[in-house]
Amino acid sequence: MIRTIRVAGFGGQGIMLFGQILAYAATIKKLNSTWVPTYGPETRGGTANCMVTISDGQIYSPVFRQCDDLIVFNSPSYQKFKQEVKADGHIYYNASLIEQIAIERPQHFGIKCNDLASTLHNSKVINIIMLGRYLKDLKLFGEQEIVEALNHFFSQEKQALIPINIQAFRLGQQQ
């Protein structure tokens, strides 16, 4: 099993944390993983992205051209990466900001992340809502691994944010 995942959006949407949580959850499950972030000028309002590879075998390169799954949070990210999805790949997109996708394939899923986050009164959890929805289909990690990853990445000062993120994950799982 090897799964390549690209996560993309603009700065402040939790793109990097999404990728880090996936990679860390993989290690919890004794899988190999890599996380490759893209920083630089893209973090200043452009398309920021990261690549995650999860495998039960060796990972020979952390970089890939085509991905199994594309997870996008805004239209510029969709436009930039839509052609880099394998023919049988999946696209998960933030339907709150991307009205319609142009790829003609059945494996695309629109999740109104911003709208759902507003029901929790916290716009910063759109990434965790999407993570919940994505993992509902992937069935690779459950809530236990995600909570452990949140505990790992949230510093002592941010521990109070874990309950709202768990709520966001569960909300995503319901979509």
Side-chain angles (χ1 to χ4, degrees):
M1 181 279 295
I2 187 163
R3 190 129 202 130
T4 54
I5 306 147
R6 183 179 299 274
V7 186
F10 58 77
Q13 289 184 307
I15 304 310
M16 301 306 169
L17 181 62
F18 188 112
Q20 289 174 311
I21 289 172
L22 273 180
Y24 191 79
T27 63
I28 293 168
K29 294 282 280 200
K30 307 288 187 229
L31 295 168
N32 296 311
S33 66
T34 61
W35 170 72
V36 179
T38 298
Y39 292 103
E42 291 183 329
T43 60
R44 291 173 183 77
T47 299
N49 73 92
C50 65
M51 293 181 279
V52 178
T53 303
I54 299 170
S55 177
D56 58 1
Q58 288 186 337
I59 299 171
Y60 295 102
S61 175
V63 180
F64 48 81
R65 182 172 302 271
Q66 295 228 300
C67 59
D68 294 303
D69 302 314
L70 173 64
I71 301 159
V72 289
F73 287 87
N74 63 358
S75 290
S77 298
Y78 170 70
Q79 293 302 323
K80 183 172 183 177
F81 296 113
K82 67 183 178 183
Q83 299 304 323
E84 296 182 14
V85 181
K86 293 177 183 175
D88 61 346
H90 302 87
I91 299 174
Y92 291 80
Y93 65 97
N94 181 358
S96 295
L97 299 180
I98 303 170
E99 290 185 20
Q100 186 176 14
I101 67 168
I103 290 183
E104 293 137 12
R105 65 171 85 174
Q107 313 92 291
H108 64 272
F109 308 95
I111 299 91
K112 293 188 174 258
C113 297
N114 293 64
D115 298 350
L116 291 166
S118 70
T119 68
L120 297 176
H121 309 290
N122 190 327
S123 63
K124 293 185 178 189
V125 296
I126 65 169
N127 60 337
I128 305 300
I129 290 170
M130 182 69 85
L131 180 65
R133 175 59 177 87
Y134 175 64
L135 289 178
K136 175 184 174 182
D137 291 345
L138 191 63
K139 293 180 177 38
L140 191 54
F141 313 123
E143 184 175 320
Q144 179 181 342
E145 291 85 15
I146 300 309
V147 170
E148 192 172 330
L150 288 168
N151 276 303
H152 175 78
F153 286 107
F154 284 21
S155 64
Q156 190 66 30
E157 298 81 37
K158 293 185 179 183
Q159 290 289 304
L161 298 174
I162 291 175
I164 188 71
N165 280 276
I166 293 170
Q167 281 184 285
F169 181 80
R170 289 176 180 162
L171 183 58
Q173 293 262 293
Q174 296 168 6
Q175 303 310 305

